[in-house]
Amino acid sequence: MAVRKHFITAESVAEGHPDKVCDQISDAVLDEVIRQDPNGRVACETYVTMGLLIVGGEITTSGYVDVHNLVRNVLKDIGYTHPKYGFDYHTCAIVNTIHNQSPDIAQGVDRGGAGDQGIMVGYACRETSEFMPLPIMLAHKLVSRMAEVRKKGILKYLGPDGKSQVTIEYHDGHPKRIDSCILACQHTEEILDRTGKRITKASRQELIEVIAKPVLKEYIDKDTKYYVNETGKFVIGGPQSDTGMTGRKIIADNYGSIVAPGGGAFSGKDPTKVDRSAAYMARYIAKNLVAAGLADKCLVSIAYVIGRPEPVAINVETFGTGKVSDSAFIKLIQQNFDLTPKGMINTLNLLRPIYQKTACYGHFGREEPEFTWERTDKIKELQKSL
């Protein structure tokens, strides 16, 4: 029988990408509010362009955020520390347009209701040890490696901006090999060839050897294709070359192209907004179901209406891999998980200043203490409930 082949692609962007700059600033504002006032309400949006950054949105809190100082510190940590990168934390203009949250929304949230309507999704599978799709995990690891070699001075010519993209060939539904790897790395002019229009062949190969190969490892073969700074050069980057906004990388923030994202963006929103907290809870549920051996793939979706605590709908799809019916999984979820905003916040301990760390390299599949939705502590309880 012939092998069934298909290809799946995922991308990620570096912490200096304009959209990710905005995500990090919005979440840094959220963290500072929660640090002072765990009950503060935050919906923070950021916009950045050449020489200008605007922070806006709706915030109600008893604390105080020095927005200008906070923004400059985030930009400094990212690496926008010199005009040669096209954006400089010392000199960029910062505008603060934050105002209070609507009392009409607050009166529904204050009584424990959801902060908005929407459908949130969570997914888990057995492709990786993180229970995540392989393409998105590799894409995130590439840009993480990009930042590592830049900040450690291993490749001193790199700038903060960058992207990665990975296309994986699947055989009968299982990842087999990397068909192509794309790296877009901002750099200074020192690695340009004599024409000034392209990076040197030696630099191109160095980026492959130092960034790509240590990450991709066993999935590389002789036919793997590499595309590195395919316009020729990437000197002008960051906000100088591209406008950025909070919440424009939701596919990369979730599971890549394998799963359609639900709800809205995550960054800058406190956990009373279910498009964040319920997405984290849905991932927590799906991961525990798969880790418990009850399915090889699991997609959980939860729908809410603003002002009411209980979800209006729960759905489960196990793609034919479940040990019980999908409807039985719904009952299992209802028995073992509190899906009210208060219940999700308490279960996952979400009223902590943990969010800036989530803004780069994906919100899922990261085994770090802050990422409580990645725990697999419900395995025995779920197995006993069947």
Side-chain angles (χ1 to χ4, degrees), residues 168-340:
I168 294 183
E169 181 178 324
Y170 283 70
H171 290 186
D172 294 327
H174 300 286
K176 182 68 175 179
R177 57 176 294 273
I178 292 181
D179 184 69
S180 67
C181 167
I182 299 173
L183 296 178
C185 306
Q186 186 186 15
H187 58 87
T188 55
E189 294 183 349
E190 66 192 85
I191 61 168
L192 295 177
D193 63 16
R194 292 180 180 179
T195 69
K197 294 182 178 180
R198 301 191 67 84
I199 62 173
T200 64
K201 291 182 180 180
S203 296
R204 177 186 183 276
Q205 191 60 37
E206 185 174 46
L207 290 167
I208 293 171
E209 296 292 334
V210 175
I211 296 175
K213 288 187 176 180
V215 171
L216 305 181
K217 296 177 182 176
E218 70 268 24
Y219 292 100
I220 301 170
D221 63 21
K222 62 182 179 63
D223 296 318
T224 298
K225 299 179 286 292
Y226 297 96
Y227 302 97
V228 180
N229 289 10
E230 282 296 298
T231 66
K233 64 178 182 177
F234 187 4
V235 173
I236 300 173
Q240 183 182 14
S241 67
D242 191 13
T243 296
M245 296 179 68
T246 301
R248 291 209 299 196
K249 289 292 177 283
I250 59 174
I251 301 295
D253 284 345
N254 281 270
Y255 305 95
S257 59
I258 286 180
V259 176
F266 300 142
S267 290
K269 297 177 182 177
D270 75 76
T272 66
K273 280 79 174 170
V274 287
D275 39 5
R276 186 166 214 163
S277 54
Y280 290 174
M281 179 61 88
R283 162 64 177 173
Y284 177 58
I285 295 168
K287 184 175 182 180
N288 275 273
L289 290 172
V290 173
L294 304 183
D296 293 333
K297 298 179 182 179
C298 184
L299 177 67
V300 176
S301 62
I302 314 170
Y304 290 86
V305 60
I306 191 169
R308 297 188 65 86
E310 299 290 344
V312 296
I314 306 169
N315 282 291
V316 175
E317 171 64 65
T318 55
F319 309 94
T321 70
K323 298 295 176 66
V324 297
S325 68
D326 291 346
S327 59
F329 275 118
I330 294 174
K331 292 181 180 179
L332 191 65
I333 291 169
Q334 291 171 326
Q335 293 167 0
N336 289 279
F337 298 93
D338 185 344
L339 300 181
T340 65

Side-chain angles (χ1 to χ4, degrees), residues 333-354:
I333 291 169
Q334 291 171 326
Q335 293 167 0
N336 289 279
F337 298 93
D338 185 344
L339 300 181
T340 65
K342 182 179 179 180
M344 295 186 293
I345 289 169
N346 290 339
T347 298
L348 301 179
N349 194 15
L350 296 178
L351 290 178
R352 296 175 296 146
I354 60 172

Side-chain angles (χ1 to χ4, degrees), residues 9-301:
T9 301
E11 73 158 352
S12 184
V13 298
E15 59 191 73
H17 184 282
D19 292 331
K20 277 295 150 200
V21 168
C22 293
D23 285 345
Q24 290 169 88
I25 289 170
S26 293
D27 273 336
V29 171
L30 170 61
D31 281 349
E32 187 56 31
V33 170
I34 290 179
R35 188 175 287 110
Q36 300 179 45
D37 176 16
N39 296 314
R41 301 284 163 70
V42 180
C44 181
E45 307 283 350
T46 305
Y47 167 92
V48 68
T49 188
M50 185 185 297
L52 172 66
L53 191 144
I54 302 173
V55 182
E58 301 79 46
I59 297 179
T60 301
T61 179
S62 60
Y64 170 75
V65 179
D66 183 345
V67 171
H68 285 70
N69 189 53
L70 179 147
V71 168
R72 295 195 195 281
N73 284 335
V74 172
L75 293 172
K76 180 182 179 181
D77 290 343
I78 290 170
Y80 282 113
T81 57
H82 194 280
K84 66 183 177 181
Y85 300 128
F87 200 75
D88 187 354
Y89 84 98
H90 296 97
T91 58
C92 68
I94 300 169
V95 179
N96 180 356
T97 64
I98 292 170
H99 57 90
N100 288 340
Q101 184 187 60
S102 164
D104 296 350
I105 296 174
Q107 69 180 7
V109 177
D110 289 343
R111 62 173 182 256
D116 205 349
Q117 66 181 45
I119 308 102
M120 277 50 73
V121 303
Y123 180 75
C125 63
R126 292 193 172 276
E127 283 185 20
T128 64
S129 60
E130 298 93 350
F131 295 95
M132 287 285 287
L134 181 62
I136 191 65
M137 289 305 299
L138 291 179
H140 286 321
K141 288 177 180 180
L142 283 171
V143 291
S144 179
R145 175 64 177 168
M146 207 180 288
E148 179 186 19
V149 300
R150 171 174 61 90
K151 291 184 174 182
K152 289 183 176 180
I154 298 170
L155 297 180
K156 295 181 179 180
Y157 51 77
L158 288 181
D161 199 357
K163 286 185 176 184
S164 71
Q165 186 169 293
V166 180
T167 298
I168 294 183
E169 181 178 324
Y170 283 70
H171 290 186
D172 294 327
H174 300 286
K176 182 68 175 179
R177 57 176 294 273
I178 292 181
D179 184 69
S180 67
C181 167
I182 299 173
L183 296 178
C185 306
Q186 186 186 15
H187 58 87
T188 55
E189 294 183 349
E190 66 192 85
I191 61 168
L192 295 177
D193 63 16
R194 292 180 180 179
T195 69
K197 294 182 178 180
R198 301 191 67 84
I199 62 173
T200 64
K201 291 182 180 180
S203 296
R204 177 186 183 276
Q205 191 60 37
E206 185 174 46
L207 290 167
I208 293 171
E209 296 292 334
V210 175
I211 296 175
K213 288 187 176 180
V215 171
L216 305 181
K217 296 177 182 176
E218 70 268 24
Y219 292 100
I220 301 170
D221 63 21
K222 62 182 179 63
D223 296 318
T224 298
K225 299 179 286 292
Y226 297 96
Y227 302 97
V228 180
N229 289 10
E230 282 296 298
T231 66
K233 64 178 182 177
F234 187 4
V235 173
I236 300 173
Q240 183 182 14
S241 67
D242 191 13
T243 296
M245 296 179 68
T246 301
R248 291 209 299 196
K249 289 292 177 283
I250 59 174
I251 301 295
D253 284 345
N254 281 270
Y255 305 95
S257 59
I258 286 180
V259 176
F266 300 142
S267 290
K269 297 177 182 177
D270 75 76
T272 66
K273 280 79 174 170
V274 287
D275 39 5
R276 186 166 214 163
S277 54
Y280 290 174
M281 179 61 88
R283 162 64 177 173
Y284 177 58
I285 295 168
K287 184 175 182 180
N288 275 273
L289 290 172
V290 173
L294 304 183
D296 293 333
K297 298 179 182 179
C298 184
L299 177 67
V300 176
S301 62

